[in-house]
Amino acid sequence: MTDATPRVFQTSGKVWLKDFEFGLTGLTVRKTGARVPYSPSVLKQVSAWFAYFFAAQRIEALTPNFTISFTPERARPWYLIWAVSRAAGAKYTKDASAADVVMHFEDATYSPNDAPARIKSGAHLVNFRCNDVSKTNVSRASAVAFGRTLAVDPRTHVGPAVEKSEINAAHDGRIVQCPTQAIPGRVYQRVIDNRMAAHPDLVEDLRTCTVGGKAVCVFIKRRQVTKRFLNTNTEVLLRQPEEVFSPAELEQISAFTREIGLDWGGVDVLRDKADGALTIVDANKTDMGPPIGLNLPDKVVATRMLAKAFRAFVRGENA
């Protein structure tokens, strides 16, 4: 495996050049136009990601192998499914009609893409029913699964509310006082008090990775309450789903994935400090990860857990 690592990195080189524009003081994501400066914190995160990237290459793949194709975009190395599918024994092919698994992959909030017209007999289709991960649709599916309304009307709601972008992964939430006029392109939700009882200055997000509608692992992400809407974590821990959720709660999470059509992806689960009830506030079908703040050995453990679950799912072994 060590001999293959340089070749893997070389074959990924064109991807880096295609997706990013590297400048003197920062890089630009070509697709979105977002600019990332070369700050010490960013460089530290990049270094941590590369450590995981090379560690993931050394994970022994499960056998026998199968082929996987992504459409309309190929999964890049910084997406979790890239490492997980490799560890599961998948070999990438451009030809969707010859693949054993065809995965809908587009890093976009709305992605109404149909499955390819020609697919291999018996091929497994993944995430083609998940074409809307907007905050509005997440709120709707969360209400169905948990029986608790998340969305609020800012014009009639009285008290604090979370205002955030409709677009996925914006990390631009803020708390506003209602009633107030709605801003186009923004959504409004209940404020869920997910502060830790023992450390009220910290909030706790339960990032739950799911495969085939089942929770596989949980990344407990803790951060300062003043940074609750940012992706800057103070601590990240890996846990088994059964350590975090009750059987009834695990079924609610599965119900959410069925409602939104999520075969593979991550959901952000919050537990309300007041009554312990769960709510899902975000869903991502193109997960990046594992979280940068998680230690490297646990990143590898999580990748193996997800690889085993993904392989079982596409082989129809966990139905």
Side-chain angles (χ1 to χ4, degrees), residues 35 51 62 78 83 92 104 128 158 169 180 190-191 195 208 215 224 233 238 240 253 271 276 282 284 289 296 298:
R35 189 175 183 280
L62 299 174
W78 44 90
Y92 172 72
H104 174 213
F128 281 95
V158 178
T180 187
R190 288 188 296 108
V191 176
R195 290 176 297 168
T208 304
Q224 294 292 325
N233 301 304
L238 172 65
Q240 297 275 355
I253 293 171
R271 187 180 295 280
D282 197 9
N284 194 335
L296 183 57
D298 278 347

Side-chain angles (χ1 to χ4, degrees), residues 116-139:
R118 296 178 56 213
I119 61 172
K120 183 179 180 180
S121 176
H124 203 103
L125 299 178
V126 180
N127 273 1
F128 281 95
R129 297 180 302 114
C130 188
N131 51 31
D132 181 356
V133 290
S134 65
K135 297 299 185 294
T136 293
N137 198 35
V138 167
S139 294

Side-chain angles (χ1 to χ4, degrees), residues 228-303:
R228 68 190 306 165
F229 300 115
L230 302 178
N231 198 24
T232 305
N233 301 304
T234 302
E235 182 180 36
V236 182
L237 304 172
L238 172 65
R239 293 290 184 267
Q240 297 275 355
E242 294 76 15
E243 297 178 83
V244 182
F245 305 117
S246 69
E249 290 171 340
L250 289 172
E251 174 50 38
Q252 288 176 317
I253 293 171
S254 292
F256 174 89
T257 65
R258 291 192 297 270
E259 185 67 26
I260 208 168
L262 187 68
D263 299 316
W264 156 274
V267 294
D268 284 334
V269 186
L270 303 186
R271 187 180 295 280
D272 198 312
K273 180 182 175 184
D275 58 10
L278 301 182
T279 304
I280 289 178
V281 297
D282 197 9
N284 194 335
K285 64 185 184 300
T286 53
D287 256 3
M288 294 183 184
I292 291 292
L294 186 66
N295 66 73
L296 183 57
D298 278 347
K299 288 178 182 177
V300 174
V301 169
T303 303

Side-chain angles (χ1 to χ4, degrees), residues 2-237:
T2 54
D3 290 339
T5 298
R7 292 196 296 273
V8 171
F9 184 68
Q10 288 170 7
T11 57
S12 301
K14 292 181 180 179
V15 172
W16 300 102
L17 296 176
K18 180 180 179 181
D19 284 19
F20 301 105
E21 180 181 342
F22 295 90
L24 294 176
T25 60
L27 63 85
T28 301
V29 182
R30 294 183 187 275
K31 182 173 181 178
T32 64
R35 189 175 183 280
V36 182
Y38 298 140
S39 67
S41 62
V42 168
L43 293 176
K44 182 179 179 181
Q45 292 181 36
V46 170
S47 176
W49 182 85
F50 270 109
Y52 168 69
F53 175 81
F54 288 115
Q57 310 311 309
R58 295 192 293 272
I59 297 176
E60 186 175 354
L62 299 174
T63 56
N65 296 327
F66 61 95
T67 54
I68 187 169
S69 184
F70 300 97
T71 181
E73 299 174 353
R74 180 177 179 178
R76 306 307 202 207
W78 44 90
Y79 290 101
L80 185 55
I81 187 60
W82 188 86
V84 167
S85 61
R86 283 174 54 86
K91 302 295 184 181
Y92 172 72
T93 176
K94 291 183 179 180
D95 186 1
S97 67
D100 299 309
V101 178
V102 182
M103 186 171 188
H104 174 213
F105 194 92
E106 184 177 16
D107 195 351
T109 302
Y110 306 99
S111 50
N113 306 106
D114 294 328
R118 296 178 56 213
I119 61 172
K120 183 179 180 180
S121 176
H124 203 103
L125 299 178
V126 180
N127 273 1
F128 281 95
R129 297 180 302 114
C130 188
N131 51 31
D132 181 356
V133 290
S134 65
K135 297 299 185 294
T136 293
N137 198 35
V138 167
S139 294
R140 179 197 63 79
S142 185
V144 171
F146 295 96
R148 293 163 62 92
T149 302
L150 177 60
V152 299
D153 185 339
R155 298 167 300 177
T156 58
H157 179 71
V158 178
V162 177
E163 177 198 275
K164 57 177 122 174
S165 172
E166 183 78 89
I167 303 301
N168 194 40
H171 300 292
D172 62 350
R174 66 181 185 126
I175 294 179
V176 298
Q177 291 297 319
C178 297
T180 187
Q181 285 298 117
I183 298 175
R186 310 287 286 178
V187 297
Y188 298 82
Q189 300 174 343
R190 288 188 296 108
V191 176
I192 298 172
D193 185 0
N194 61 326
R195 290 176 297 168
M196 298 177 61
H199 301 281
D201 59 326
L202 298 177
V203 294
E204 193 171 73
D205 290 6
L206 307 174
R207 180 69 166 188
T208 304
C209 297
T210 66
V211 179
K214 296 182 179 180
V216 176
C217 61
V218 181
F219 300 122
I220 299 179
K221 303 196 297 184
R222 295 168 178 163
R223 66 179 69 94
Q224 294 292 325
V225 68
T226 55
K227 300 179 180 179
R228 68 190 306 165
F229 300 115
L230 302 178
N231 198 24
T232 305
N233 301 304
T234 302
E235 182 180 36
V236 182
L237 304 172

